[in-house]
Amino acid sequence: MTRIFVLLMTAVLALSACAAPPPPAPKLAADGKPLPRPYRISPGETREIRFRMLDSVNSLRAAAGARPLILDERLTAAAATHSRDMSVQERPWHFGSDGSSPLDRVRRVGYRGEFIGETISETYETELETLAAWMENDVTRRVILSRDARRMGFAWHQDPSGKIWWTMTLGA
């Protein structure tokens, strides 16, 4: 009887060692709140994300009485260049490391229409969370809802840390 009890306890201990460990506690920021979890973008999601952003922007524009935008590859190329450059500079701002302005960038890629504006962001959030933040700011909201805008470029660069550098460029 003792032998069976010892074998049974050994089996229970062995099985309990196989249990999954508890999930790690979330890492906290200086303010005591959990750090955001990075939104990871895979290379195969590019088209889906661009069109999700375009559809969302066009919904907001429709609600404001503005015409829908179409994606423009030249403006997207200018946006992609700037997203990568912001990552290299490690700061979100509208000037390139070579001193270029948003207007310079759209001209370099061959865009001949009128430049309307550029919105940028440095974040770990999704494109739709970023759009929501842009819409809360008067300046970026005016760019997105500009009645003169007809075309949109949209791109990003994601660092290995998960940080995303978003850029939207609008033109007429």
Side-chain angles (χ1 to χ4, degrees):
M1 184 71 162
T2 305
R3 178 179 260 185
I4 293 174
F5 179 73
V6 170
L7 287 173
L8 194 56
M9 288 306 291
T10 304
V12 168
L13 287 173
L15 288 174
S16 67
C18 295
K27 293 182 181 179
L28 301 178
D31 62 4
K33 294 181 181 177
L35 288 171
R37 296 181 72 175
Y39 170 58
R40 295 286 180 182
I41 302 172
S42 68
E45 294 177 294
T46 300
R47 180 177 164 81
E48 177 184 326
I49 290 171
R50 281 202 180 117
F51 280 102
R52 187 166 46 235
M53 180 61 96
L54 178 65
D55 289 345
S56 298
V57 166
N58 282 337
S59 292
L60 293 167
R61 290 177 60 81
R67 292 182 187 171
L69 302 176
I70 60 170
L71 277 177
D72 184 285
E73 288 305 313
R74 288 186 175 117
L75 292 175
T76 294
T81 297
H82 192 54
S83 291
R84 282 188 304 275
D85 193 44
M86 286 190 297
S87 171
V88 168
Q89 296 182 70
E90 295 183 357
R91 64 178 169 178
W93 76 320
H94 293 283
F95 295 95
S97 55
D98 62 354
S100 62
S101 71
L103 182 57
D104 295 331
R105 287 189 295 277
V106 299
R107 292 294 177 243
R108 283 182 190 162
V109 296
Y111 185 75
R112 298 292 172 231
E114 178 186 354
F115 171 73
I116 300 296
E118 176 182 79
T119 61
I120 58 173
S121 182
E122 165 196 23
T123 185
Y124 290 92
E125 297 178 330
T126 70
E127 68 280 0
L128 298 182
E129 290 169 315
T130 301
L131 177 59
W134 285 338
M135 292 302 290
E136 290 176 9
N137 178 286
D138 290 338
V139 173
T140 52
R141 184 177 51 251
R142 267 195 305 275
V143 170
I144 293 166
L145 299 179
S146 169
R147 294 189 184 274
D148 294 330
R150 299 289 178 265
R151 304 173 99 61
M152 178 181 99
F154 180 66
W156 60 90
H157 173 80
Q158 187 163 35
D159 291 340
S161 68
K163 184 184 291 184
I164 307 170
W165 304 85
W166 300 103
T167 305
M168 179 189 297
T169 306
L170 299 183

PDB file of all heavy atoms in Angstrom, residues 116-132:
ATOM      1  N   ILE A 116      -1.029  69.021 -50.442  1.00  0.00           N
ATOM      2  CA  ILE A 116      -2.006  69.509 -49.466  1.00  0.00           C
ATOM      3  C   ILE A 116      -1.444  69.462 -48.048  1.00  0.00           C
ATOM      4  O   ILE A 116      -1.548  70.419 -47.293  1.00  0.00           O
ATOM      5  CB  ILE A 116      -3.316  68.697 -49.534  1.00  0.00           C
ATOM      6  CG1 ILE A 116      -3.953  68.799 -50.920  1.00  0.00           C
ATOM      7  CG2 ILE A 116      -4.285  69.117 -48.436  1.00  0.00           C
ATOM      8  CD1 ILE A 116      -4.398  70.197 -51.318  1.00  0.00           C
ATOM      9  N   GLY A 117      -0.855  68.351 -47.670  1.00  0.00           N
ATOM     10  CA  GLY A 117      -0.331  68.259 -46.313  1.00  0.00           C
ATOM     11  C   GLY A 117       0.175  66.874 -45.982  1.00  0.00           C
ATOM     12  O   GLY A 117       0.001  65.929 -46.755  1.00  0.00           O
ATOM     13  N   GLU A 118       0.786  66.764 -44.815  1.00  0.00           N
ATOM     14  CA  GLU A 118       1.369  65.504 -44.366  1.00  0.00           C
ATOM     15  C   GLU A 118       1.035  65.323 -42.885  1.00  0.00           C
ATOM     16  O   GLU A 118       1.086  66.276 -42.109  1.00  0.00           O
ATOM     17  CB  GLU A 118       2.877  65.582 -44.559  1.00  0.00           C
ATOM     18  CG  GLU A 118       3.656  64.387 -44.058  1.00  0.00           C
ATOM     19  CD  GLU A 118       5.145  64.571 -44.253  1.00  0.00           C
ATOM     20  OE1 GLU A 118       5.782  65.284 -43.438  1.00  0.00           O
ATOM     21  OE2 GLU A 118       5.669  64.009 -45.227  1.00  0.00           O
ATOM     22  N   THR A 119       0.677  64.108 -42.509  1.00  0.00           N
ATOM     23  CA  THR A 119       0.491  63.763 -41.103  1.00  0.00           C
ATOM     24  C   THR A 119       1.485  62.665 -40.771  1.00  0.00           C
ATOM     25  O   THR A 119       1.739  61.782 -41.593  1.00  0.00           O
ATOM     26  CB  THR A 119      -0.948  63.288 -40.809  1.00  0.00           C
ATOM     27  OG1 THR A 119      -1.220  62.134 -41.581  1.00  0.00           O
ATOM     28  CG2 THR A 119      -1.961  64.371 -41.142  1.00  0.00           C
ATOM     29  N   ILE A 120       2.060  62.739 -39.561  1.00  0.00           N
ATOM     30  CA  ILE A 120       3.072  61.766 -39.155  1.00  0.00           C
ATOM     31  C   ILE A 120       2.792  61.308 -37.729  1.00  0.00           C
ATOM     32  O   ILE A 120       2.099  61.992 -36.977  1.00  0.00           O
ATOM     33  CB  ILE A 120       4.494  62.357 -39.246  1.00  0.00           C
ATOM     34  CG1 ILE A 120       4.613  63.607 -38.368  1.00  0.00           C
ATOM     35  CG2 ILE A 120       4.863  62.642 -40.695  1.00  0.00           C
ATOM     36  CD1 ILE A 120       6.015  64.168 -38.248  1.00  0.00           C
ATOM     37  N   SER A 121       3.347  60.154 -37.387  1.00  0.00           N
ATOM     38  CA  SER A 121       3.199  59.652 -36.028  1.00  0.00           C
ATOM     39  C   SER A 121       4.294  58.653 -35.707  1.00  0.00           C
ATOM     40  O   SER A 121       4.745  57.908 -36.577  1.00  0.00           O
ATOM     41  CB  SER A 121       1.833  58.981 -35.859  1.00  0.00           C
ATOM     42  OG  SER A 121       1.661  58.523 -34.536  1.00  0.00           O
ATOM     43  N   GLU A 122       4.683  58.632 -34.442  1.00  0.00           N
ATOM     44  CA  GLU A 122       5.608  57.646 -33.892  1.00  0.00           C
ATOM     45  C   GLU A 122       4.822  56.926 -32.800  1.00  0.00           C
ATOM     46  O   GLU A 122       4.419  57.550 -31.812  1.00  0.00           O
ATOM     47  CB  GLU A 122       6.817  58.362 -33.290  1.00  0.00           C
ATOM     48  CG  GLU A 122       7.668  57.509 -32.393  1.00  0.00           C
ATOM     49  CD  GLU A 122       8.606  58.338 -31.511  1.00  0.00           C
ATOM     50  OE1 GLU A 122       8.331  59.531 -31.268  1.00  0.00           O
ATOM     51  OE2 GLU A 122       9.609  57.774 -31.068  1.00  0.00           O
ATOM     52  N   THR A 123       4.565  55.626 -32.977  1.00  0.00           N
ATOM     53  CA  THR A 123       3.689  54.939 -32.042  1.00  0.00           C
ATOM     54  C   THR A 123       3.870  53.423 -32.102  1.00  0.00           C
ATOM     55  O   THR A 123       4.571  52.920 -32.975  1.00  0.00           O
ATOM     56  CB  THR A 123       2.212  55.303 -32.341  1.00  0.00           C
ATOM     57  OG1 THR A 123       1.361  54.727 -31.363  1.00  0.00           O
ATOM     58  CG2 THR A 123       1.792  54.808 -33.711  1.00  0.00           C
ATOM     59  N   TYR A 124       3.227  52.734 -31.194  1.00  0.00           N
ATOM     60  CA  TYR A 124       3.149  51.274 -31.216  1.00  0.00           C
ATOM     61  C   TYR A 124       1.726  50.858 -31.589  1.00  0.00           C
ATOM     62  O   TYR A 124       1.378  49.698 -31.518  1.00  0.00           O
ATOM     63  CB  TYR A 124       3.507  50.685 -29.844  1.00  0.00           C
ATOM     64  CG  TYR A 124       4.967  50.843 -29.498  1.00  0.00           C
ATOM     65  CD1 TYR A 124       5.419  51.940 -28.790  1.00  0.00           C
ATOM     66  CD2 TYR A 124       5.892  49.879 -29.881  1.00  0.00           C
ATOM     67  CE1 TYR A 124       6.759  52.086 -28.466  1.00  0.00           C
ATOM     68  CE2 TYR A 124       7.232  50.010 -29.564  1.00  0.00           C
ATOM     69  CZ  TYR A 124       7.657  51.113 -28.857  1.00  0.00           C
ATOM     70  OH  TYR A 124       8.986  51.248 -28.553  1.00  0.00           O
ATOM     71  N   GLU A 125       0.890  51.812 -31.967  1.00  0.00           N
ATOM     72  CA  GLU A 125      -0.534  51.574 -32.203  1.00  0.00           C
ATOM     73  C   GLU A 125      -0.827  51.219 -33.654  1.00  0.00           C
ATOM     74  O   GLU A 125      -0.014  51.452 -34.546  1.00  0.00           O
ATOM     75  CB  GLU A 125      -1.329  52.815 -31.804  1.00  0.00           C
ATOM     76  CG  GLU A 125      -1.215  53.129 -30.328  1.00  0.00           C
ATOM     77  CD  GLU A 125      -1.958  54.382 -29.928  1.00  0.00           C
ATOM     78  OE1 GLU A 125      -2.100  55.307 -30.752  1.00  0.00           O
ATOM     79  OE2 GLU A 125      -2.408  54.430 -28.780  1.00  0.00           O
ATOM     80  N   THR A 126      -2.028  50.716 -33.856  1.00  0.00           N
ATOM     81  CA  THR A 126      -2.491  50.348 -35.189  1.00  0.00           C
ATOM     82  C   THR A 126      -2.711  51.589 -36.040  1.00  0.00           C
ATOM     83  O   THR A 126      -2.759  52.714 -35.531  1.00  0.00           O
ATOM     84  CB  THR A 126      -3.815  49.571 -35.118  1.00  0.00           C
ATOM     85  OG1 THR A 126      -4.855  50.473 -34.701  1.00  0.00           O
ATOM     86  CG2 THR A 126      -3.735  48.385 -34.175  1.00  0.00           C
ATOM     87  N   GLU A 127      -2.904  51.362 -37.331  1.00  0.00           N
ATOM     88  CA  GLU A 127      -3.182  52.479 -38.239  1.00  0.00           C
ATOM     89  C   GLU A 127      -4.488  53.176 -37.876  1.00  0.00           C
ATOM     90  O   GLU A 127      -4.605  54.399 -37.990  1.00  0.00           O
ATOM     91  CB  GLU A 127      -3.182  52.013 -39.703  1.00  0.00           C
ATOM     92  CG  GLU A 127      -4.310  51.093 -40.092  1.00  0.00           C
ATOM     93  CD  GLU A 127      -4.094  49.638 -39.688  1.00  0.00           C
ATOM     94  OE1 GLU A 127      -3.056  49.295 -39.096  1.00  0.00           O
ATOM     95  OE2 GLU A 127      -4.984  48.836 -39.990  1.00  0.00           O
ATOM     96  N   LEU A 128      -5.482  52.432 -37.425  1.00  0.00           N
ATOM     97  CA  LEU A 128      -6.772  53.046 -37.100  1.00  0.00           C
ATOM     98  C   LEU A 128      -6.706  53.816 -35.780  1.00  0.00           C
ATOM     99  O   LEU A 128      -7.341  54.869 -35.647  1.00  0.00           O
ATOM    100  CB  LEU A 128      -7.881  51.995 -37.081  1.00  0.00           C
ATOM    101  CG  LEU A 128      -8.095  51.296 -38.442  1.00  0.00           C
ATOM    102  CD1 LEU A 128      -9.243  50.303 -38.361  1.00  0.00           C
ATOM    103  CD2 LEU A 128      -8.312  52.303 -39.558  1.00  0.00           C
ATOM    104  N   GLU A 129      -5.937  53.330 -34.829  1.00  0.00           N
ATOM    105  CA  GLU A 129      -5.730  54.096 -33.596  1.00  0.00           C
ATOM    106  C   GLU A 129      -4.960  55.376 -33.901  1.00  0.00           C
ATOM    107  O   GLU A 129      -5.233  56.432 -33.321  1.00  0.00           O
ATOM    108  CB  GLU A 129      -4.969  53.251 -32.566  1.00  0.00           C
ATOM    109  CG  GLU A 129      -5.784  52.119 -31.995  1.00  0.00           C
ATOM    110  CD  GLU A 129      -4.953  51.130 -31.187  1.00  0.00           C
ATOM    111  OE1 GLU A 129      -3.855  50.736 -31.650  1.00  0.00           O
ATOM    112  OE2 GLU A 129      -5.409  50.758 -30.095  1.00  0.00           O
ATOM    113  N   THR A 130      -4.019  55.284 -34.826  1.00  0.00           N
ATOM    114  CA  THR A 130      -3.253  56.462 -35.232  1.00  0.00           C
ATOM    115  C   THR A 130      -4.158  57.463 -35.935  1.00  0.00           C
ATOM    116  O   THR A 130      -4.089  58.672 -35.664  1.00  0.00           O
ATOM    117  CB  THR A 130      -2.079  56.040 -36.131  1.00  0.00           C
ATOM    118  OG1 THR A 130      -1.257  55.130 -35.392  1.00  0.00           O
ATOM    119  CG2 THR A 130      -1.254  57.226 -36.581  1.00  0.00           C
ATOM    120  N   LEU A 131      -5.021  56.988 -36.818  1.00  0.00           N
ATOM    121  CA  LEU A 131      -5.975  57.875 -37.490  1.00  0.00           C
ATOM    122  C   LEU A 131      -6.876  58.564 -36.463  1.00  0.00           C
ATOM    123  O   LEU A 131      -7.140  59.762 -36.572  1.00  0.00           O
ATOM    124  CB  LEU A 131      -6.809  57.090 -38.509  1.00  0.00           C
ATOM    125  CG  LEU A 131      -7.900  57.883 -39.241  1.00  0.00           C
ATOM    126  CD1 LEU A 131      -7.316  59.069 -40.015  1.00  0.00           C
ATOM    127  CD2 LEU A 131      -8.672  56.953 -40.180  1.00  0.00           C
ATOM    128  N   ALA A 132      -7.337  57.834 -35.474  1.00  0.00           N
ATOM    129  CA  ALA A 132      -8.183  58.426 -34.431  1.00  0.00           C
ATOM    130  C   ALA A 132      -7.435  59.542 -33.699  1.00  0.00           C
ATOM    131  O   ALA A 132      -8.000  60.604 -33.413  1.00  0.00           O
ATOM    132  CB  ALA A 132      -8.654  57.351 -33.454  1.00  0.00           C
TER     133      ALA A 132
END
